[in-house]
Amino acid sequence: MVSDLAGYAEIVGGGALFLMLVFRQIKTGAKAAWREEAEAQTAKAARLADDVSRLIDEVRLLREENAALREEVRELRSENRELREHIDNLLGN
């Protein structure tokens, strides 16, 4: 009976040890997977921040260009009015 208990204890102990080792491997693997995912997300966030920064700069430049073009259109409209008035004067209207 004692030898049977010792045999069962060995089996239970071996099973417990095996389960502890499996759990440790799973835990280590999960930590590594989470770490890799966190690093990937951090890198993605950095790339997105760079993209946003570039887009902000591009929008700023486009706004400046748009303002300059609006001013140019204003000047062209003014010149167009002056030319129409001059043509009207030449035609006697």
Side-chain angles (χ1 to χ4, degrees):
M1 172 134 168
V2 173
S3 65
D4 287 340
L5 286 175
Y8 291 137
E10 280 183 25
I11 292 172
V12 170
L17 181 62
F18 174 77
L19 289 175
M20 286 175 35
L21 290 174
V22 168
F23 176 74
R24 182 177 172 198
Q25 289 292 35
I26 291 171
K27 185 178 172 183
T28 302
K31 281 183 182 180
W34 280 105
R35 185 178 304 113
E36 288 175 13
E37 184 61 26
E39 289 170 357
Q41 291 298 323
T42 301
K44 182 178 180 181
R47 285 191 309 274
L48 288 173
D50 289 343
D51 289 347
V52 168
S53 178
R54 280 193 300 275
L55 286 172
I56 288 171
D57 292 341
E58 187 175 337
V59 167
R60 185 176 298 120
L61 291 173
L62 288 171
R63 285 182 176 172
E64 291 171 4
E65 183 180 350
N66 189 23
L69 289 171
R70 286 179 186 265
E71 180 60 32
E72 189 176 335
V73 167
R74 219 175 281 121
E75 290 173 7
L76 289 171
R77 286 182 177 162
S78 176
E79 288 177 20
N80 190 21
R81 273 192 302 273
E82 291 173 8
L83 287 172
R84 284 180 186 220
E85 289 174 6
H86 185 66
I87 290 171
D88 285 344
N89 287 338
L90 289 174
L91 293 175
N93 289 334

